[in-house]
Amino acid sequence: QVQLVESGGGQVHAGSSLRLSCEASGFPFVNYAMRWIRQRPGVGLEWVAGIMRGEDGLSRYADAVKGRFTISRDDVNNELYLLMNDLRPDDTGVYYCMKFFSGVSPPESQGTRVTVSG
């Protein structure tokens, strides 16, 4: 059974940093590209970043987070990360990790909430 458990969210001020983590289990993590998506208040699901499989996995970012967020993975411990720097109030939302590189689909995990105050 696929399980994805996100953590690391919190309430921070604009300009702060957070590092989100996602513990994956129930599938061969090393064989899958992964992504982060988010749901901001009043906005639909948005793709945030994706990373291909492998140690040098290609990564891509949504324009809104490019240069501020970094996606990475630890295939030994089956974990996915999202380092978020220079957070803005517009980054407020619930963040989810998911299998596959791109696109949005209804998440099945609980996500982790990020609140950025100005």
Side-chain angles (χ1 to χ4, degrees):
Q1 180 181 356
V2 173
Q3 279 200 316
L4 298 166
V5 180
E6 302 92 345
S7 62
Q11 296 186 7
V12 297
H13 294 292
S16 299
S17 298
L18 283 173
R19 187 191 191 213
L20 306 184
S21 298
C22 170
E23 295 183 19
S25 61
F27 67 100
F29 180 79
V30 67
N31 291 341
Y32 281 82
M34 298 291 295
R35 60 191 152 130
W36 288 95
I37 68 171
R38 67 184 180 185
Q39 181 145 33
R40 295 188 288 149
V43 181
L45 291 169
E46 300 175 301
W47 175 81
V48 175
I51 186 167
M52 297 299 287
R53 60 184 182 177
E55 287 187 5
D56 297 321
L58 175 74
S59 59
R60 288 288 185 266
Y61 301 89
D63 288 344
V65 307
K66 198 174 295 182
R68 300 187 297 122
F69 290 11
T70 303
I71 187 172
S72 61
R73 62 191 297 157
D74 178 349
D75 289 339
V76 173
N77 294 303
N78 291 352
E79 292 201 348
L80 183 73
Y81 305 106
L82 186 68
L83 175 61
M84 307 187 296
N85 294 323
D86 190 23
L87 282 162
R88 304 167 181 170
D90 278 352
D91 295 318
T92 293
V94 181
Y95 286 71
Y96 304 89
C97 66
M98 301 189 78
K99 293 165 61 178
F100 308 119
F101 187 83
S102 61
V104 292
S105 52
E108 297 183 354
S109 53
Q110 291 193 335
T112 186
R113 184 173 299 274
V114 173
T115 303
V116 185
S117 59

